[in-house]
Amino acid sequence: ADKQRNLKEYFNTV
Amino acid sequence: MFEARLVQGNLLKKVVDAVKDLVTDANFDCSSSGFTLQAMDNSHVSLVSLSLRSDGFEHFRCDRNMSMGMSLGNLAKILKCAGNDDIVTMKAADDGDTVTFMFESPKEDRVSDFELKLMDIDSEHLGIPDTDYAATVTLPAAEYQRICRDLSSIGDTVVISATKDGVKFSSSGDVGTANITVRQNTTADKKEEQVSIDLKEPVALTFALRYLNSFAKATPLASHVSLSMARDLPVMVDYQISDMGHLRFYLAPKIED
């Protein structure tokens, strides 16, 4: 199985 | 006071129709530089980023930065009441809890206004860094839509791999497998059929087709769409809105559990 990471793990919260 | 007059009013309708299934409620941010929206879907794996520059509007006034929370479903209902060729003007007071949409027919023989209640929406704003993408393919928006739709009947995910030979979209499922390759074609007779590939290094990523299909709802906004990919990073699906800005979608890749 594969999964997707939360976008917050790629982009910073500003 | 915020006031923005858009001669091509149906553009707003197309934008909202393109994102309303992905995002239910969102904040529209207004500043002197323009009208923007950034929102993630419920599962936080995809993100929508809209930017409409103030100079793309016939008239644009924004005295104070403001954030207007709207239900996109309700906004779509209101915009559906605009004629296709209507001029749309949005107006909101600095401290109000509504935004007014005024629709004017091109012959100026019909004017209507609809008031939409604003909502308080907690939203996190993400900083999207400038990225050196390994590969960017720019293809007709209708072709992208077709690829996503066709592959959806085969599988749930797609592997997009960019090499010097072209960009291959592969999917597999119970039915079998499918591969669709697009190659650079910058000499097509019609500009709208052209495909260009900017490859710095080969890259392959896996994505959920459900989201890529949803992004394709932006097809009426632009003749072409660009897919930009870099290793282990979200893909950027970019629709340029002529003379005004862009509607971009980002989607996290599937990774091994």
Side-chain angles (χ1 to χ4, degrees):
Chain A
D2 46 17
K3 61 168 193 168
Q4 289 155 286
R5 279 194 199 135
N6 190 314
L7 275 185
K8 285 189 247 179
E9 295 187 37
Y10 298 100
F11 302 142
N12 295 327
T13 308
V14 290
Chain B
M1 169 91 188
F2 165 66
E3 199 172 271
R5 182 177 159 91
L6 187 61
V7 175
Q8 239 187 305
N10 69 346
L11 198 142
L12 203 57
K13 199 192 278 197
K14 289 177 187 172
V15 165
V16 174
D17 284 342
V19 301
K20 72 177 174 15
D21 295 336
L22 206 60
V23 176
T24 47
D25 306 318
N27 283 320
F28 285 87
D29 297 312
C30 317
S31 72
S32 55
S33 58
F35 191 66
T36 62
L37 171 151
Q38 192 200 78
M40 279 189 279
D41 75 294
N42 274 338
S43 56
H44 288 191
V45 296
S46 73
L47 179 131
V48 181
S49 173
L50 166 74
S51 172
L52 299 175
R53 288 189 312 271
S54 54
D55 59 23
F57 291 83
E58 193 196 38
H59 164 76
F60 193 93
R61 173 182 166 184
C62 183
D63 301 336
R64 199 157 63 97
N65 289 2
M66 57 198 280
S67 201
M68 299 190 292
M70 301 185 211
S71 144
L72 295 187
N74 291 344
L75 176 57
K77 279 182 196 169
I78 284 182
L79 292 174
K80 216 175 164 187
C81 304
N84 233 356
D85 302 320
D86 280 3
I87 297 164
V88 174
T89 303
M90 299 181 273
K91 279 184 198 179
D94 284 347
D95 52 358
D97 55 2
T98 61
V99 56
T100 301
F101 292 86
M102 184 171 78
F103 307 140
E104 294 168 84
S105 66
K107 288 182 187 163
E108 299 177 348
D109 53 357
R110 187 179 195 269
V111 181
S112 50
D113 59 83
F114 291 77
E115 204 176 73
L116 175 68
K117 289 178 193 153
L118 296 178
M119 28 191 323
D120 281 326
I121 299 168
D122 277 335
S123 71
E124 284 170 299
H125 208 83
L126 298 183
I128 301 161
D130 284 336
T131 305
D132 284 328
Y133 286 106
T136 295
V137 53
T138 302
L139 71 167
E143 175 65 14
Y144 167 77
Q145 183 178 42
R146 183 181 168 194
I147 292 169
C148 294
R149 190 187 56 217
D150 289 352
L151 293 183
S152 295
S153 57
I154 304 296
D156 297 330
T157 61
V158 58
V159 179
I160 308 178
S161 51
T163 65
K164 61 177 176 43
D165 295 325
V167 177
K168 187 166 80 169
F169 299 79
S170 310
S171 192
S172 61
D174 296 341
V175 179
T177 63
N179 296 292
I180 300 168
T181 301
V182 293
R183 295 205 174 90
Q184 171 139 302
N185 177 6
T186 48
T187 55
D189 290 345
K190 294 179 187 162
K191 201 168 175 248
E192 55 268 28
E193 291 173 2
Q194 291 186 355
V195 176
S196 71
I197 297 171
D198 176 12
L199 184 80
K200 294 195 175 68
E201 56 178 323
V203 61
L205 294 168
T206 305
F207 299 102
L209 275 165
R210 185 164 72 87
Y211 291 94
L212 295 182
N213 254 313
S214 184
F215 304 163
K217 289 186 176 138
T219 304
L221 278 169
S223 68
H224 283 73
V225 59
S226 295
L227 313 183
S228 297
M229 301 196 299
R231 204 178 143 190
D232 298 331
L233 281 182
V235 61
M236 175 174 78
V237 181
D238 182 348
Y239 292 85
Q240 288 291 317
I241 303 171
S242 57
D243 302 327
M244 284 212 79
H246 58 248
L247 180 62
R248 288 179 183 152
F249 301 93
Y250 295 85
L251 176 64
K254 291 264 188 185
I255 48 174
E256 295 287 323
D257 207 356

